[in-house]
Amino acid sequence: MPVRRVVPNLQCDALEENRTFYGLLGMEEVMNQGWVMTLASPANPTAQLSFLTHDRTAPVTPDLSIEVDDVDAAYAAVLSSGAPIVRPLQDEEWGVRRFFVKDPNGRVVNVLAHTTAPADHAAATTGTGG
């Protein structure tokens, strides 16, 4: 199952300040839902950072996100391994299907796949505030 990208998730209370600071380093906002914002390098769009004030539909804020081609296959593999599932697989209204699992270090990993095209999703959610 190919990995499309890996994104560190940084919990914060200052989305605007982080957008300004990381903008100084050449990153641009590609998605903002008010509680989660993703910045990316225009020259390398898979080089990304996400900032979260909280996770709107999950009990915890994940430490990182891994986008895969087949999230259902990833979920089946993780389930069969016995790794602790923090949040079961489900579809989200913003166009992703995802689950959370704890890695051997106790970090929470958000494993996801887009159910809508990422470009369509980013255009539809940028600046919507939720």
Side-chain angles (χ1 to χ4, degrees):
M1 113 194 44
V3 172
R4 299 178 58 111
R5 65 188 169 122
V6 177
V7 181
N9 295 324
L10 306 170
Q11 190 163 8
C12 74
D13 292 322
L15 296 178
E16 293 287 326
E17 291 86 344
N18 278 290
R19 177 181 30 247
T20 299
F21 175 80
Y22 286 97
L24 297 171
L25 301 174
M27 300 194 83
E28 296 179 353
E29 181 181 289
V30 294
M31 190 267 301
N32 188 335
Q33 294 197 29
W35 57 273
V36 58
M37 173 185 68
T38 300
L39 304 178
S41 163
N44 181 1
T46 61
Q48 299 183 350
L49 293 172
S50 285
F51 299 88
L52 294 91
T53 59
H54 65 287
D55 191 294
R56 195 172 88 196
T57 63
V60 298
T61 301
D63 296 299
L64 66 121
S65 296
I66 298 178
E67 182 181 356
V68 296
D69 279 346
D70 187 344
V71 72
D72 292 281
Y75 189 65
V78 168
L79 274 177
S80 68
S81 78
I85 300 296
V86 176
R87 181 178 180 281
L89 183 64
Q90 71 182 60
D91 294 324
E92 299 289 2
E93 65 187 42
W94 56 88
V96 299
R97 183 166 171 77
R98 68 182 184 152
F99 69 94
F100 290 7
V101 61
K102 277 194 181 177
D103 76 5
N105 305 300
R107 297 196 193 289
V108 177
V109 181
N110 172 27
V111 182
L112 69 118
H114 283 272
T115 56
T116 58
D120 295 340
H121 172 68
T125 59
T126 300
T128 64

